[in-house]
Amino acid sequence: MTLVKNVVGSSRWSKPSTGESSWLEYWENKVGHRASHCGKCHEINHDELVGAHVQKVFGGNEVYITPLCRACNQLTEPFWVDTELVRVPSGE
C-alpha cells in the first residue's frame, strides 16, 4: 500500500500524449491488464474508474497514474491505495 494525494489541477491533462484515449487506458497499457477496482475504496464498476493523477506523500514531486473511482478522485486529504502507480510521461 502507498500513501498518496490527488494532484490539484491535473484536469488540464485530459489525455496522455502517448496516444491513449484516457489516463486509465494509459495505466492499463503500462501494467498489462484492465483496472479491476478503485485503489482506495475498491469500487469495481469500471465505468466509475478514472486514471487519477497522484503523488506519493513521502516521495518527491513525481506524478503517477492509478485507478480511482470518481468520488475518490475528489479527495483532498492523503489516502492509501493498493493499486500500482505508473509514472506520468515526462513533460505532462
Side-chain angles (χ1 to χ4, degrees), residues 4 10-11 20 27 32 39-41 43 61 64 67 92:
V4 299
S10 64
S11 61
E20 292 85 359
W27 183 90
K40 181 191 183 317
C41 74
E43 166 68 56
N61 293 324
Y64 301 88
E92 298 203 46

Side-chain angles (χ1 to χ4, degrees), residues 12-45:
R12 67 182 179 272
W13 303 310
S14 60
K15 61 182 180 178
S17 63
T18 50
E20 292 85 359
S21 63
S22 70
W23 286 106
L24 186 60
E25 182 182 347
Y26 173 82
W27 183 90
E28 291 172 336
N29 286 345
K30 293 297 181 187
V31 300
H33 61 84
R34 185 177 162 109
S36 62
H37 66 280
C38 172
K40 181 191 183 317
C41 74
H42 300 109
E43 166 68 56
I44 60 170
N45 180 353

Side-chain angles (χ1 to χ4, degrees), residues 55-73:
Q55 289 179 304
K56 294 178 182 177
V57 171
F58 303 109
N61 293 324
E62 292 86 9
V63 176
Y64 301 88
I65 301 298
T66 201
L68 293 178
C69 69
R70 294 178 197 287
C72 290
N73 193 34

